[in-house]
Amino acid sequence: MKSLAKVCVAAGFLAAAAGLLVLPQFAASPAQQMTGMDHSAQATDEPTPAFHAKPPQDALPPTMEASLFTDIQTFNAYVVASRIKKVLYQQPCYCHCDRSQGHGSLLDCFVSRHGSGCDICQKEDFYAYEQTHKGKTPTQIREGIMRGDWQKVDTAKFAKNYLPPQNAPAK
């Protein structure tokens, strides 16, 4: 009988330990969005993630070198980020890495490796790049990001061919 009680206690401890391993996954930001989920409606009561309302006054940190990433889309996300750092500095990131990682804007996602594994960061990055090339201001781009327009970005075109480095001649 004592051995049955020991087995039950051990099973209880194992179940509690397993529960503690799973808990942090669900204790993250309630608005955290994961790959494959429907991100179509931003929570209206959810505060806007961190961003800078004005252009930077000082030099910005470099983004991570795109050549560190073998995946074409990720490579391109970092190339794009390096080209529009001042714009990304003024954008919020709706994966809420401001809470989980202390980021101050979307630019921080590409100064670190975070942007390499986050589809939200990459879509917002590509959205900002496309809108910049359409002549939109950082404020207009931010309004679009806050509306969720970044969710409509077709990342397939960024996953096909490597973008040339900024200083390379166009082919």
Side-chain angles (χ1 to χ4, degrees):
M1 198 56 158
K2 285 186 176 183
S3 62
L4 180 59
K6 287 181 182 179
V7 169
C8 288
V9 168
F13 279 124
L14 286 174
L20 289 175
L21 288 173
V22 174
L23 180 65
Q25 183 176 7
F26 299 104
S29 167
Q32 182 134 8
Q33 300 166 343
M34 303 174 111
T35 305
M37 290 178 62
D38 179 16
H39 307 300
S40 59
Q42 295 295 337
T44 56
D45 59 345
E46 194 67 35
T48 302
F51 68 91
H52 304 280
K54 296 183 180 184
Q57 298 298 312
D58 299 318
L60 292 172
T63 58
M64 290 196 74
E65 178 59 43
S67 63
L68 294 171
F69 306 101
T70 56
D71 174 67
I72 295 173
Q73 180 176 312
T74 302
F75 175 93
N76 288 338
Y78 279 82
V79 167
V80 163
S82 71
R83 293 179 182 177
I84 60 166
K85 291 191 314 182
K86 289 180 181 177
V87 174
L88 296 183
Y89 175 83
Q90 299 176 65
Q91 306 310 319
C93 182
Y94 276 93
C95 80
H96 292 283
C97 52
D98 61 329
R99 296 178 189 170
S100 64
Q101 300 193 19
H103 288 177
S105 70
L106 182 56
L107 175 61
D108 291 338
C109 303
F110 297 95
V111 169
S112 66
R113 288 188 172 271
H114 178 77
S116 68
C118 183
D119 66 323
I120 295 169
C121 299
Q122 288 188 17
K123 282 186 172 187
E124 288 184 12
D125 178 38
F126 293 137
Y127 173 79
Y129 180 71
E130 290 175 341
Q131 297 304 306
T132 298
H133 284 278
K134 290 179 180 178
K136 300 284 176 95
T137 67
T139 301
Q140 291 170 320
I141 294 168
R142 182 170 51 250
E143 290 167 355
I145 287 176
M146 291 168 75
R147 276 192 310 268
D149 294 350
W150 57 270
Q151 297 170 52
K152 300 172 190 159
V153 170
D154 178 15
T155 57
K157 62 185 169 187
F158 292 101
K160 290 181 183 174
N161 300 306
Y162 288 101
L163 292 171
Q166 189 158 358
N167 298 332
K171 293 182 181 179

